[in-house]
mmCIF file of all heavy atoms in Angstrom:
data_model
loop_
_atom_site.group_PDB
_atom_site.id
_atom_site.type_symbol
_atom_site.label_atom_id
_atom_site.label_comp_id
_atom_site.label_asym_id
_atom_site.label_seq_id
_atom_site.Cartn_x
_atom_site.Cartn_y
_atom_site.Cartn_z
ATOM 1 N N ARG S 1 0.840 -1.203 0.000
ATOM 2 C CA ARG S 1 0.000 0.000 0.000
ATOM 3 C C ARG S 1 0.871 1.247 0.000
ATOM 4 O O ARG S 1 0.593 2.215 -0.713
ATOM 5 C CB ARG S 1 -0.932 0.003 1.210
ATOM 6 C CG ARG S 1 -1.851 1.231 1.235
ATOM 7 C CD ARG S 1 -2.917 1.141 2.288
ATOM 8 N NE ARG S 1 -2.372 1.251 3.624
ATOM 9 C CZ ARG S 1 -3.130 1.367 4.716
ATOM 10 N NH1 ARG S 1 -4.453 1.363 4.604
ATOM 11 N NH2 ARG S 1 -2.586 1.464 5.903
ATOM 12 N N ASP S 2 1.965 1.227 0.771
ATOM 13 C CA ASP S 2 2.850 2.386 0.844
ATOM 14 C C ASP S 2 3.614 2.594 -0.461
ATOM 15 O O ASP S 2 3.816 3.716 -0.908
ATOM 16 C CB ASP S 2 3.845 2.210 1.999
ATOM 17 C CG ASP S 2 4.605 3.490 2.278
ATOM 18 O OD1 ASP S 2 3.938 4.539 2.460
ATOM 19 O OD2 ASP S 2 5.844 3.457 2.298
ATOM 20 N N ILE S 3 4.026 1.490 -1.100
ATOM 21 C CA ILE S 3 4.762 1.588 -2.365
ATOM 22 C C ILE S 3 3.884 2.140 -3.476
ATOM 23 O O ILE S 3 4.307 2.978 -4.270
ATOM 24 C CB ILE S 3 5.318 0.202 -2.778
ATOM 25 C CG1 ILE S 3 6.432 -0.222 -1.823
ATOM 26 C CG2 ILE S 3 5.849 0.225 -4.216
ATOM 27 C CD1 ILE S 3 6.845 -1.673 -1.979
ATOM 28 N N LEU S 4 2.625 1.716 -3.524
ATOM 29 C CA LEU S 4 1.735 2.045 -4.636
ATOM 30 C C LEU S 4 0.946 3.333 -4.444
ATOM 31 O O LEU S 4 0.338 3.826 -5.385
ATOM 32 C CB LEU S 4 0.751 0.892 -4.876
ATOM 33 C CG LEU S 4 1.403 -0.455 -5.255
ATOM 34 C CD1 LEU S 4 0.357 -1.541 -5.329
ATOM 35 C CD2 LEU S 4 2.161 -0.328 -6.574
ATOM 36 N N GLN S 5 0.958 3.896 -3.236
ATOM 37 C CA GLN S 5 0.148 5.090 -2.987
ATOM 38 C C GLN S 5 0.749 6.310 -3.686
ATOM 39 O O GLN S 5 1.946 6.400 -3.885
ATOM 40 C CB GLN S 5 0.030 5.359 -1.489
ATOM 41 C CG GLN S 5 1.291 5.902 -0.849
ATOM 42 C CD GLN S 5 1.067 6.189 0.620
ATOM 43 O OE1 GLN S 5 0.027 5.886 1.166
ATOM 44 N NE2 GLN S 5 2.062 6.756 1.252
ATOM 45 N N HIS S 6 -0.114 7.269 -4.037
ATOM 46 C CA HIS S 6 0.341 8.487 -4.703
ATOM 47 C C HIS S 6 -0.084 9.746 -3.970
ATOM 48 O O HIS S 6 0.381 10.825 -4.258
ATOM 49 C CB HIS S 6 -0.206 8.543 -6.140
ATOM 50 C CG HIS S 6 0.266 7.400 -6.980
ATOM 51 N ND1 HIS S 6 1.568 7.289 -7.417
ATOM 52 C CD2 HIS S 6 -0.381 6.302 -7.441
ATOM 53 C CE1 HIS S 6 1.708 6.173 -8.140
ATOM 54 N NE2 HIS S 6 0.531 5.558 -8.160
ATOM 55 N N GLU S 7 -0.996 9.597 -3.017
ATOM 56 C CA GLU S 7 -1.505 10.757 -2.303
ATOM 57 C C GLU S 7 -1.259 10.607 -0.817
ATOM 58 O O GLU S 7 -1.332 9.521 -0.263
ATOM 59 C CB GLU S 7 -3.019 10.918 -2.543
ATOM 60 C CG GLU S 7 -3.377 11.094 -4.017
ATOM 61 C CD GLU S 7 -4.883 11.135 -4.200
ATOM 62 O OE1 GLU S 7 -5.596 11.120 -3.170
ATOM 63 O OE2 GLU S 7 -5.336 11.191 -5.339
ATOM 64 N N LYS S 8 -0.973 11.747 -0.162
ATOM 65 C CA LYS S 8 -0.744 11.725 1.272
ATOM 66 C C LYS S 8 -1.976 11.270 2.038
ATOM 67 O O LYS S 8 -1.869 10.697 3.106
ATOM 68 C CB LYS S 8 -0.327 13.115 1.767
ATOM 69 C CG LYS S 8 1.150 13.391 1.584
ATOM 70 C CD LYS S 8 1.552 14.583 2.408
ATOM 71 C CE LYS S 8 3.073 14.744 2.418
ATOM 72 N NZ LYS S 8 3.499 15.844 3.295
ATOM 73 N N ALA S 9 -3.141 11.512 1.486
ATOM 74 C CA ALA S 9 -4.380 11.171 2.191
ATOM 75 C C ALA S 9 -4.511 9.673 2.412
ATOM 76 O O ALA S 9 -5.240 9.235 3.276
ATOM 77 C CB ALA S 9 -5.585 11.685 1.401
ATOM 78 N N ARG S 10 -3.756 8.907 1.625
ATOM 79 C CA ARG S 10 -3.862 7.463 1.736
ATOM 80 C C ARG S 10 -2.837 6.876 2.698
ATOM 81 O O ARG S 10 -2.679 5.675 2.797
ATOM 82 C CB ARG S 10 -3.684 6.835 0.345
ATOM 83 C CG ARG S 10 -4.781 7.215 -0.622
ATOM 84 C CD ARG S 10 -4.555 6.610 -1.979
ATOM 85 N NE ARG S 10 -4.595 5.152 -1.928
ATOM 86 C CZ ARG S 10 -4.256 4.375 -2.945
ATOM 87 N NH1 ARG S 10 -3.833 4.913 -4.069
ATOM 88 N NH2 ARG S 10 -4.315 3.067 -2.821
ATOM 89 N N ARG S 11 -2.119 7.733 3.383
ATOM 90 C CA ARG S 11 -1.137 7.260 4.354
ATOM 91 C C ARG S 11 -1.828 6.566 5.523
ATOM 92 O O ARG S 11 -3.011 6.755 5.759
ATOM 93 C CB ARG S 11 -0.293 8.428 4.879
ATOM 94 C CG ARG S 11 0.678 8.986 3.851
ATOM 95 C CD ARG S 11 1.580 10.015 4.484
ATOM 96 N NE ARG S 11 2.514 10.536 3.524
ATOM 97 C CZ ARG S 11 3.662 9.970 3.211
ATOM 98 N NH1 ARG S 11 4.005 8.836 3.786
ATOM 99 N NH2 ARG S 11 4.473 10.517 2.330
ATOM 100 N N LEU S 12 -1.023 5.807 6.270
ATOM 101 C CA LEU S 12 -1.569 5.153 7.459
ATOM 102 C C LEU S 12 -2.029 6.206 8.461
ATOM 103 O O LEU S 12 -1.369 7.229 8.632
ATOM 104 C CB LEU S 12 -0.493 4.271 8.095
ATOM 105 C CG LEU S 12 -0.028 3.066 7.270
ATOM 106 C CD1 LEU S 12 1.186 2.431 7.929
ATOM 107 C CD2 LEU S 12 -1.145 2.050 7.137
ATOM 108 N N PRO S 13 -3.160 6.005 9.126
ATOM 109 C CA PRO S 13 -3.642 6.972 10.108
ATOM 110 C C PRO S 13 -2.669 7.122 11.270
ATOM 111 O O PRO S 13 -2.258 6.130 11.873
ATOM 112 C CB PRO S 13 -4.978 6.383 10.564
ATOM 113 C CG PRO S 13 -4.899 4.936 10.234
ATOM 114 C CD PRO S 13 -4.034 4.828 9.022
ATOM 115 N N SER S 14 -2.291 8.371 11.585
ATOM 116 C CA SER S 14 -1.294 8.614 12.631
ATOM 117 C C SER S 14 -1.797 8.202 14.016
ATOM 118 O O SER S 14 -1.001 7.918 14.907
ATOM 119 C CB SER S 14 -0.906 10.099 12.640
ATOM 120 O OG SER S 14 -2.040 10.916 12.868
ATOM 121 N N GLU S 15 -3.120 8.169 14.202
ATOM 122 C CA GLU S 15 -3.679 7.826 15.518
ATOM 123 C C GLU S 15 -3.359 6.381 15.918
ATOM 124 O O GLU S 15 -3.230 6.070 17.095
ATOM 125 C CB GLU S 15 -5.208 8.023 15.538
ATOM 126 C CG GLU S 15 -5.648 9.467 15.374
ATOM 127 C CD GLU S 15 -5.652 9.912 13.925
ATOM 128 O OE1 GLU S 15 -5.473 9.050 13.033
ATOM 129 O OE2 GLU S 15 -5.808 11.116 13.668
ATOM 130 N N THR S 16 -3.269 5.497 14.934
ATOM 131 C CA THR S 16 -3.047 4.073 15.233
ATOM 132 C C THR S 16 -1.731 3.538 14.676
ATOM 133 O O THR S 16 -1.398 2.376 14.897
ATOM 134 C CB THR S 16 -4.200 3.226 14.657
ATOM 135 O OG1 THR S 16 -4.261 3.428 13.230
ATOM 136 C CG2 THR S 16 -5.520 3.619 15.286
ATOM 137 N N MET S 17 -0.990 4.351 13.970
ATOM 138 C CA MET S 17 0.236 3.907 13.331
ATOM 139 C C MET S 17 1.251 3.355 14.330
ATOM 140 O O MET S 17 1.969 2.389 14.057
ATOM 141 C CB MET S 17 0.872 5.078 12.562
ATOM 142 C CG MET S 17 2.080 4.687 11.741
ATOM 143 S SD MET S 17 2.978 6.147 11.161
ATOM 144 C CE MET S 17 1.703 7.061 10.342
ATOM 145 N N GLY S 18 1.311 3.966 15.520
ATOM 146 C CA GLY S 18 2.259 3.511 16.529
ATOM 147 C C GLY S 18 1.979 2.090 16.988
ATOM 148 O O GLY S 18 2.901 1.320 17.239
ATOM 149 N N ALA S 19 0.683 1.754 17.064
ATOM 150 C CA ALA S 19 0.302 0.404 17.486
ATOM 151 C C ALA S 19 0.510 -0.595 16.356
ATOM 152 O O ALA S 19 1.191 -1.605 16.514
ATOM 153 C CB ALA S 19 -1.151 0.396 17.947
ATOM 154 N N VAL S 20 -0.087 -0.302 15.194
ATOM 155 C CA VAL S 20 0.031 -1.143 14.000
ATOM 156 C C VAL S 20 0.309 -0.233 12.814
ATOM 157 O O VAL S 20 -0.435 0.726 12.594
ATOM 158 C CB VAL S 20 -1.280 -1.920 13.736
ATOM 159 C CG1 VAL S 20 -1.148 -2.768 12.475
ATOM 160 C CG2 VAL S 20 -1.638 -2.800 14.923
ATOM 161 N N PRO S 21 1.395 -0.400 12.086
ATOM 162 C CA PRO S 21 2.269 -1.580 12.067
ATOM 163 C C PRO S 21 3.582 -1.441 12.851
ATOM 164 O O PRO S 21 4.372 -2.375 12.869
ATOM 165 C CB PRO S 21 2.598 -1.693 10.583
ATOM 166 C CG PRO S 21 2.712 -0.262 10.141
ATOM 167 C CD PRO S 21 1.651 0.487 10.930
ATOM 168 N N ILE S 22 3.818 -0.262 13.496
ATOM 169 C CA ILE S 22 5.136 -0.062 14.102
ATOM 170 C C ILE S 22 5.315 -0.898 15.367
ATOM 171 O O ILE S 22 6.266 -1.688 15.476
ATOM 172 C CB ILE S 22 5.386 1.437 14.381
ATOM 173 C CG1 ILE S 22 5.354 2.227 13.064
ATOM 174 C CG2 ILE S 22 6.747 1.623 15.069
ATOM 175 C CD1 ILE S 22 5.446 3.726 13.225
ATOM 176 N N GLY S 23 4.415 -0.722 16.353
ATOM 177 C CA GLY S 23 4.537 -1.493 17.595
ATOM 178 C C GLY S 23 4.516 -2.979 17.335
ATOM 179 O O GLY S 23 5.336 -3.742 17.846
ATOM 180 N N THR S 24 3.572 -3.400 16.518
ATOM 181 C CA THR S 24 3.487 -4.776 16.033
ATOM 182 C C THR S 24 2.922 -4.738 14.618
ATOM 183 O O THR S 24 2.002 -3.947 14.354
ATOM 184 C CB THR S 24 2.575 -5.637 16.953
ATOM 185 O OG1 THR S 24 2.640 -6.993 16.513
ATOM 186 C CG2 THR S 24 1.152 -5.161 16.972
ATOM 187 N N PRO S 25 3.492 -5.428 13.647
ATOM 188 C CA PRO S 25 4.510 -6.470 13.831
ATOM 189 C C PRO S 25 5.950 -6.036 13.599
ATOM 190 O O PRO S 25 6.818 -6.895 13.548
ATOM 191 C CB PRO S 25 4.086 -7.497 12.790
ATOM 192 C CG PRO S 25 3.525 -6.676 11.674
ATOM 193 C CD PRO S 25 2.871 -5.473 12.316
ATOM 194 N N LEU S 26 6.239 -4.702 13.463
ATOM 195 C CA LEU S 26 7.622 -4.300 13.193
ATOM 196 C C LEU S 26 8.532 -4.469 14.410
ATOM 197 O O LEU S 26 9.547 -5.158 14.337
ATOM 198 C CB LEU S 26 7.668 -2.846 12.699
ATOM 199 C CG LEU S 26 7.355 -2.628 11.218
ATOM 200 C CD1 LEU S 26 7.476 -1.160 10.869
ATOM 201 C CD2 LEU S 26 8.283 -3.453 10.345
ATOM 202 N N VAL S 27 8.199 -3.783 15.527
ATOM 203 C CA VAL S 27 9.057 -3.872 16.713
ATOM 204 C C VAL S 27 8.941 -5.263 17.346
ATOM 205 O O VAL S 27 9.941 -5.932 17.610
ATOM 206 C CB VAL S 27 8.693 -2.780 17.743
ATOM 207 C CG1 VAL S 27 9.544 -2.942 19.004
ATOM 208 C CG2 VAL S 27 8.922 -1.392 17.151
ATOM 209 N N VAL S 28 7.720 -5.664 17.622
ATOM 210 C CA VAL S 28 7.485 -6.993 18.202
ATOM 211 C C VAL S 28 6.622 -7.792 17.239
ATOM 212 O O VAL S 28 5.411 -7.635 17.191
ATOM 213 C CB VAL S 28 6.810 -6.885 19.587
ATOM 214 C CG1 VAL S 28 6.419 -8.261 20.088
ATOM 215 C CG2 VAL S 28 7.737 -6.222 20.583
ATOM 216 N N GLY S 29 7.292 -8.632 16.473
ATOM 217 C CA GLY S 29 6.620 -9.490 15.518
ATOM 218 C C GLY S 29 6.840 -10.954 15.859
ATOM 219 O O GLY S 29 7.282 -11.275 16.966
ATOM 220 N N PRO S 30 6.543 -11.831 14.916
ATOM 221 C CA PRO S 30 6.697 -13.270 15.169
ATOM 222 C C PRO S 30 8.089 -13.676 15.634
ATOM 223 O O PRO S 30 8.226 -14.534 16.509
ATOM 224 C CB PRO S 30 6.382 -13.882 13.798
ATOM 225 C CG PRO S 30 5.478 -12.898 13.149
ATOM 226 C CD PRO S 30 5.968 -11.554 13.595
ATOM 227 N N ALA S 31 9.133 -13.049 15.065
ATOM 228 C CA ALA S 31 10.507 -13.411 15.442
ATOM 229 C C ALA S 31 10.775 -13.119 16.917
ATOM 230 O O ALA S 31 11.330 -13.952 17.641
ATOM 231 C CB ALA S 31 11.505 -12.661 14.567
ATOM 232 N N VAL S 32 10.376 -11.916 17.371
ATOM 233 C CA VAL S 32 10.596 -11.534 18.769
ATOM 234 C C VAL S 32 9.746 -12.396 19.703
ATOM 235 O O VAL S 32 10.234 -12.882 20.738
ATOM 236 C CB VAL S 32 10.279 -10.039 18.989
ATOM 237 C CG1 VAL S 32 10.377 -9.675 20.462
ATOM 238 C CG2 VAL S 32 11.218 -9.169 18.171
ATOM 239 N N LEU S 33 8.486 -12.584 19.356
ATOM 240 C CA LEU S 33 7.580 -13.368 20.208
ATOM 241 C C LEU S 33 8.059 -14.811 20.345
ATOM 242 O O LEU S 33 8.049 -15.374 21.442
ATOM 243 C CB LEU S 33 6.161 -13.326 19.643
ATOM 244 C CG LEU S 33 5.500 -11.944 19.623
ATOM 245 C CD1 LEU S 33 4.143 -12.009 18.936
ATOM 246 C CD2 LEU S 33 5.353 -11.380 21.019
ATOM 247 N N THR S 34 8.497 -15.374 19.245
ATOM 248 C CA THR S 34 9.021 -16.744 19.293
ATOM 249 C C THR S 34 10.279 -16.804 20.150
ATOM 250 O O THR S 34 10.454 -17.715 20.963
ATOM 251 C CB THR S 34 9.342 -17.246 17.872
ATOM 252 O OG1 THR S 34 8.169 -17.147 17.058
ATOM 253 C CG2 THR S 34 9.811 -18.684 17.887
ATOM 254 N N THR S 35 11.158 -15.806 19.973
ATOM 255 C CA THR S 35 12.425 -15.769 20.710
ATOM 256 C C THR S 35 12.196 -15.676 22.213
ATOM 257 O O THR S 35 12.820 -16.411 22.987
ATOM 258 C CB THR S 35 13.292 -14.579 20.241
ATOM 259 O OG1 THR S 35 13.555 -14.705 18.837
ATOM 260 C CG2 THR S 35 14.620 -14.542 20.987
ATOM 261 N N ILE S 36 11.305 -14.785 22.655
ATOM 262 C CA ILE S 36 11.124 -14.612 24.094
ATOM 263 C C ILE S 36 10.451 -15.827 24.735
ATOM 264 O O ILE S 36 10.728 -16.148 25.887
ATOM 265 C CB ILE S 36 10.334 -13.314 24.431
ATOM 266 C CG1 ILE S 36 8.947 -13.305 23.815
ATOM 267 C CG2 ILE S 36 11.123 -12.094 24.009
ATOM 268 C CD1 ILE S 36 8.119 -12.082 24.162
ATOM 269 N N ILE S 37 9.597 -16.513 23.987
ATOM 270 C CA ILE S 37 8.974 -17.730 24.515
ATOM 271 C C ILE S 37 10.035 -18.810 24.725
ATOM 272 O O ILE S 37 10.048 -19.517 25.734
ATOM 273 C CB ILE S 37 7.854 -18.227 23.572
ATOM 274 C CG1 ILE S 37 6.655 -17.283 23.640
ATOM 275 C CG2 ILE S 37 7.408 -19.637 23.947
ATOM 276 C CD1 ILE S 37 5.560 -17.576 22.635
ATOM 277 N N ILE S 38 10.957 -18.920 23.753
ATOM 278 C CA ILE S 38 12.038 -19.901 23.863
ATOM 279 C C ILE S 38 12.991 -19.542 25.006
ATOM 280 O O ILE S 38 13.408 -20.404 25.793
ATOM 281 C CB ILE S 38 12.815 -19.997 22.531
ATOM 282 C CG1 ILE S 38 11.922 -20.595 21.444
ATOM 283 C CG2 ILE S 38 14.088 -20.836 22.698
ATOM 284 C CD1 ILE S 38 12.493 -20.505 20.050
#
């Protein structure tokens, strides 16, 4: 979506961007969750 977008209006909403996708799955994704369980 980010690669193909042409207008700023189509950006991710700033109100939730910190939670998804930055907080998860970027910062804490499957790799981190699997690692901490192990």
Side-chain angles (χ1 to χ4, degrees):
R1 181 171 70 171
D2 191 52
I3 291 169
L4 299 174
Q5 74 178 6
H6 299 289
E7 301 175 5
K8 277 195 171 184
R10 296 179 63 189
R11 289 187 179 276
L12 294 171
S14 59
E15 295 81 9
T16 59
M17 186 192 306
V20 179
I22 299 174
T24 186
L26 279 182
V27 177
V28 173
V32 174
L33 296 175
T34 304
T35 301
I36 60 178
I37 289 173
I38 293 170

